[in-house]
Amino acid sequence: MVETTKTSQDRIWQVIHQIPHGKVATYGQVALLAGMPSHARLVGRILSQLPSETKLPWHRVLNSQGRITNPGRERQQSRLEAEGVTLINGRVSLKVYGWEP
DNA sequence: TGTTTGACGGACA
DNA sequence: CTGTCCGCCAAAC
């Protein structure tokens, strides 16, 4: 099958889909793993366009400070806690929950 | 084809 | 600790 040029969006989706349950990754990390260093903002833009029925664990993506930066942070927080990720003062300890591929 | 945008990152005060 | 500023650069307009 011919690999048509995948959009960066496809790669980013694929990377996020690899984040293990109960772990979290940063935007910069996702961009890096997608082969696009310094494109953290692009990751955020793409996530903002995700359909509500998406299968992607977008809630496991945080900023470099382990903080939720998104319009529906409260909902994201409950999803994370439902996976065993504890937030302290609206923050996640990347030291503990950071995804290390 | 040019300009603006942005779920970021990191440095600095 | 909080807030501000600038750099990055594809996508959206």
Side-chain angles (χ1 to χ4, degrees), chain A residues 1-100:
Chain A
M1 85 191 241
V2 284
E3 275 304 330
T4 53
T5 308
K6 280 189 176 178
T7 61
S8 50
Q9 174 180 104
D10 289 322
R11 291 189 233 178
I12 290 171
W13 279 345
Q14 208 151 13
V15 172
I16 295 176
H17 196 264
Q18 295 174 54
I19 304 176
H21 178 279
K23 298 272 183 165
V24 298
T26 68
Y27 293 94
Q29 186 176 13
V30 172
L32 185 66
L33 292 173
M36 308 179 75
S38 76
H39 279 66
R41 308 180 76 159
L42 186 53
V43 176
R45 179 190 295 286
I46 290 170
L47 289 192
S48 71
Q49 296 171 359
L50 282 177
S52 52
E53 60 268 47
T54 183
K55 234 18 178 110
L56 289 174
W58 57 270
H59 52 274
R60 295 182 191 149
V61 184
L62 310 172
N63 69 9
S64 64
Q65 297 174 31
R67 214 188 255 287
I68 297 175
T69 316
N70 120 16
R73 46 188 148 152
E74 292 182 12
R75 198 178 64 190
Q76 179 169 10
Q77 180 172 339
S78 18
R79 279 177 182 250
L80 287 173
E81 296 189 322
E83 297 193 344
V85 178
T86 304
L87 281 81
I88 300 173
N89 295 326
R91 230 162 145 171
V92 174
S93 173
L94 296 176
K95 185 90 170 182
V96 177
Y97 302 105
W99 175 41
E100 296 166 23

